[in-house]
């Protein structure tokens, strides 16, 4: 196990001593969706989730447990994220980062929830001036400055993933924008999108 | 959200400020009027009226009570290395409205504006400074980058009007009982007119500074009393060091009862290295400043307030200040219309009706869509002048 993951696993309440089931091949899901910082700033995100460990667990319901049914799957995943978003007439932003998370999947309903930690670079092209043509009202020039920030986030997601490998997710990210040039500020974003598991693997 | 709503509360949630009033087509109508128009007041509305009257070649004059034009649009030229708006400052609309207000396709000029989206936002609540930086993402506004509202009027609206403005002429009486309207000013001079456009602040009308013959209708007087024009003040301080955020609300920005009381970095995105902090206060909270006896007392009060918030840094870094107490301006006497005690549309409709068929009204309080703004004041004047000119004598 990668030693760098130990603190994360402790933080997520996992026992590093838990014995993972063998994972014969990595499972990769691609995600695409709306990425809305502060909910209202429109954007798009692309990402990939690579499942790196999976544990099958017993059922939540007593009846299922009696039958010995395995209806819940837990997994750890990681993957890159890229997002573009902006605020009309104000700024455009670019985010590139990686995340690592912990997901619980319920087989019967094909739904999942996940917690993930992300670390991203956030570049913002802030419009600091516009020139207005007084004969027409049109904007003739925009002056932009670049702002850079490190953005750690914690994301909670809910979603559904069908055996066909298609699914959807809805997430809320909370974080802190640690600007290199300015004071930091709270960051939150709404994520809503689709996922496609490559190779139509079972939804784990 | 309209500016009046913004200033009545939820300052941070003004992100969705929108503009709606049609600012074009003021010029596309047939002029049937051939008489003389007298405009009372050379503020934004009065200048806008003169601008369109001048464009149509109508005989007119503007009687201004004070010795300068602008009204609640005022500039401090030499306080910092950039001009400062002592009155109206934010554009409050998409900046394309500036072109619409000029409405001249042949004008060969441009103007720089800056998106005003503060990045460091704080609120002083119950004795503590709280961070609302994320709130800046919901605030959408524009300001002039190198000029001011006064500069805009001076360069684009006022030229061509200066010889039509008669300064230091506080009109005290408008008598429309005769064939020609007779105006009387405070020094006893009289003026004749066929139409009169009153752009004086509502506060002056409420205070009875203008006497009308025949008297204003009971409906109009009632409507006037239903317009709330509270105290208002702006002050600017230069400090040797910056210790304040981009914007500091003196109450919770999420408090629905919050009023317009805030400090802000007046140099935000301006081409300067100087630290200029502005105070903007309109409403009940403004009275604590405006009732102080003089500018020095106001300065001391503000420094003490800032010292309490920032651990004495304000007094330590103080360089100089300038105060604009709008409540004490003799021909202004307050801020602007912030609230209507009844149906806003009905009150404005009552106020906008001509008095005795020949005396018209315009100003920020009479704008339905852009009330309490410079564009709103100008648009209401354009609409009133259009009504005057379309109708025959």
């Amino acid at each position: 196990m990668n030693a760098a993951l130990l603190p994360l696993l402790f933080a997520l309440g996992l026992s590093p001593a838990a014995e993972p089931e063998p994972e014969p091949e990595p499972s990769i899901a691609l995600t695409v969706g709306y990425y809305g910082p502060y909910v209202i700033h429109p954007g798009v995100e692309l990402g990939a989730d690579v499942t790196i460990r999976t544990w099958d667990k017993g059922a939540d319901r007593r009846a299922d447990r009696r039958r010995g049914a395995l209806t819940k799957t837990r997994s750890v995943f990681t993957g890159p994220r890229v997002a573009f978003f902006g605020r009309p007439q104000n700024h455009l932003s670019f985010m590139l980062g990686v995340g690592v998370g912990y997901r619980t999947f319920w087989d019967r309903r094909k739904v999942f929830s996940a917690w993930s930690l992300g670390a991203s670079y956030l570049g913002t092209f802030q419009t600091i001036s516009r020139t207005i043509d007084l004969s027409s009202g049109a904007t003739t020039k925009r002056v932009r400055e670049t702002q850079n920030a490190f953005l750690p986030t914690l994301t909670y997601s809910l979603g559904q993933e069908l055996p066909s490998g298609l699914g959807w997710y809805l997430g809320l990210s909370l974080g802190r924008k640690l600007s290199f040039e300015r004071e930091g500020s709270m960051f939150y974003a709404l994520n809503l999108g689709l996922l496609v598991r490559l190779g139509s693997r079972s939804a784990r | 959200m309209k500016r009046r709503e913004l200033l009545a509360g939820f300052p941070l949630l003004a992100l969705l400020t929108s503009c709606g009033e049609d600012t074009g087509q003021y010029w596309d109508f047939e002029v049937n009027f051939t008489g003389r128009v007298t405009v009372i007041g050379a503020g934004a509305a009065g200048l806008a009226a003169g601008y369109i009257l001048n464009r149509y070649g109508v005989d007119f004059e503007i009687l201004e009570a004070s010795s300068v034009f602008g009204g609640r649009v005022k500039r401090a030229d030499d306080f910092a290395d950039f001009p400062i708006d002592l009155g109206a400052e934010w554009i409050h609309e998409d900046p394309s409205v500036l072109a619409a207000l000029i409405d001249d396709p042949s004008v060969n000029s441009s103007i720089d504006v800056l998106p005003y989206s503060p990045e460091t936002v704080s609120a002083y609540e119950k004795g503590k400074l709280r961070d609302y930086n994320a709130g800046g993402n919901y605030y959408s506004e524009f300001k002039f980058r190198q000029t001011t509202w006064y500069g805009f009027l001076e360069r684009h609206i006022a030229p061509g009007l200066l010889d039509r403005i008669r300064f230091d002429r506080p009109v005290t009486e408008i008598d429309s009982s005769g064939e020609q309207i007779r105006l009387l000013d405070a020094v006893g001079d009289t003026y004749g007119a066929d139409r009169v456009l009153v752009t004086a602040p509502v506060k002056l009308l409420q205070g009875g500074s203008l006497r009308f013959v025949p008297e204003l209708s009971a409906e109009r007087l009632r409507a006037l009393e239903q317009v709330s024009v509270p105290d208002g003040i702006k002050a600017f301080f230069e400090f040797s060091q910056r210790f304040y955020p981009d914007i500091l609300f003196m109450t919770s920005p999420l408090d629905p009862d919050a009023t317009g009381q805030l400090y802000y970095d007046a140099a935000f995105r301006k081409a300067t290295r100087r630290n200029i902090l502005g105070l903007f206060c309109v409403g009940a909270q403004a009275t604590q400043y405006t009732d102080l006896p003089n500018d020095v007392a106001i300065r001391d009060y503000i420094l003490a307030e800032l010292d309490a918030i920032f651990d004495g840094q304000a007094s330590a870094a103080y360089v100089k200040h300038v105060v604009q107490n709008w409540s004490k301006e003799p021909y202004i006497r307050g801020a602007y219309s912030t609230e209507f005690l009844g149906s806003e549309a009905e009150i404005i409709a009552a106020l906008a009706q001509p008095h005795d068929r020949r005396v018209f009204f315009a100003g920020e309080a009479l704008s339905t869509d852009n009330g309490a703004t410079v564009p709103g004041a100008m648009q209401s004047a354009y609409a009133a002048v259009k009504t005057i000119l379309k109708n025959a004598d």
Side-chain angles (χ1 to χ4, degrees), chain B residues 100-150:
Chain B
L101 292 171
I102 296 172
D103 203 9
D104 182 0
S106 68
V107 68
N108 184 22
S109 184
S110 61
I111 203 163
D112 287 350
V113 299
L114 58 87
Y116 183 74
S117 51
E119 296 176 18
T120 52
V121 181
S122 299
Y124 190 62
E125 302 171 10
K126 299 174 182 170
K128 289 186 178 175
L129 205 56
R130 290 190 57 189
D131 171 0
Y132 281 92
N133 286 352
N137 292 286
Y138 296 99
Y139 189 87
S140 180
E141 259 291 4
F142 289 95
K143 287 174 71 171
F144 294 102
R145 183 169 172 81
Q146 290 141 339
T147 185
T148 58
W149 266 120
Y150 187 91

Side-chain angles (χ1 to χ4, degrees), chain A residues 38 40-41 87 89-90 126-137 147 176 182-186 188, chain B residues 15 94 96 99 105 107 109-115 117 119-120 133 136-140 142 145 156 269:
Chain A
Y38 309 103
I40 61 167
H41 295 179
R87 181 176 174 189
Q89 302 187 336
N90 192 291
Q126 177 76 51
T127 300
I128 58 170
S129 176
R130 295 169 60 186
T131 301
I132 307 298
D133 180 350
L134 291 177
S135 67
S136 66
Q147 298 174 10
R176 182 89 184 158
R182 297 172 188 275
E183 200 171 301
S185 65
M186 190 169 74
Y188 49 92
Chain B
L15 71 160
D94 187 287
S96 62
V107 68
S109 184
S110 61
I111 203 163
D112 287 350
V113 299
L114 58 87
S117 51
E119 296 176 18
T120 52
N133 286 352
N137 292 286
Y138 296 99
Y139 189 87
S140 180
F142 289 95
R145 183 169 172 81
H156 299 287
R269 289 191 185 144

Side-chain angles (χ1 to χ4, degrees), chain A residues 98-100 116-120 150-155:
Chain A
V98 295
V100 58
S116 61
L117 291 171
S120 305
F150 174 65
L151 180 64
T153 53
L154 172 65
T155 301

Side-chain angles (χ1 to χ4, degrees), chain A:
Chain A
M1 180 179 294
N2 188 340
L5 287 177
L6 285 174
L8 170 69
L9 296 178
F10 273 114
L12 294 174
L14 290 177
S15 164
E19 194 60 38
E21 293 290 323
E23 186 68 21
E25 57 183 288
S27 168
I28 299 176
L30 301 181
T31 58
V32 57
Y34 173 81
Y35 188 74
Y38 309 103
V39 181
I40 61 167
H41 295 179
V44 61
E45 72 167 347
L46 300 168
D49 288 346
V50 181
T51 303
I52 53 178
R53 287 289 185 275
T54 299
W55 297 266
D56 286 331
K57 292 286 183 179
D60 282 339
R61 296 200 317 170
R62 183 175 297 175
D64 290 338
R65 284 202 296 272
R66 271 196 220 106
R67 290 202 308 269
L70 297 174
T71 60
K72 202 160 58 174
T73 305
R74 300 179 195 273
S75 58
V76 174
F77 62 93
T78 186
R81 286 277 183 283
V82 59
F84 300 90
F85 51 90
R87 181 176 174 189
Q89 302 187 336
N90 192 291
H91 68 248
L92 295 169
S93 289
F94 162 74
M95 190 178 78
L96 178 64
V98 295
V100 58
Y102 177 70
R103 176 169 47 209
T104 303
F105 182 85
W106 286 269
D107 277 324
R108 277 195 323 123
R109 294 184 177 176
K110 311 301 180 193
V111 297
F112 66 85
S113 71
W115 289 95
S116 61
L117 291 171
S120 305
Y121 162 78
L122 178 63
T124 298
F125 306 98
Q126 177 76 51
T127 300
I128 58 170
S129 176
R130 295 169 60 186
T131 301
I132 307 298
D133 180 350
L134 291 177
S135 67
S136 66
T139 297
T140 56
K141 189 175 76 173
R142 283 185 173 82
V143 178
R144 294 193 173 100
E145 69 174 20
T146 305
Q147 298 174 10
N148 306 280
F150 174 65
L151 180 64
T153 53
L154 172 65
T155 301
Y156 178 72
S157 302
L158 291 169
Q160 189 172 35
E161 190 174 334
L162 303 174
S164 63
L166 295 176
W168 60 269
Y169 64 92
L170 172 66
L172 179 66
S173 298
L174 291 172
R176 182 89 184 158
K177 189 164 70 174
L178 303 172
S179 176
F180 299 158
E181 298 94 1
R182 297 172 188 275
E183 200 171 301
S185 65
M186 190 169 74
F187 179 91
Y188 49 92
L190 181 72
N191 323 310
L192 175 63
L194 300 172
L195 64 85
V196 180
R197 192 161 295 277
L198 298 182
S200 299
R201 265 179 67 98
S202 168
R204 300 293 171 91

Side-chain angles (χ1 to χ4, degrees), chain B residues 326-361:
Chain B
W326 288 108
S327 298
K328 293 288 169 65
E329 284 288 328
Y331 303 114
I332 304 291
R333 297 188 194 167
Y336 45 79
S337 59
T338 58
E339 193 179 355
F340 290 86
L341 310 176
S343 164
E344 179 177 330
E346 290 176 12
I347 292 168
I348 291 176
L351 293 175
Q353 285 295 314
H355 166 65
D356 201 24
R357 295 183 300 111
R358 294 183 294 168
V359 179
F360 294 76
F361 297 84

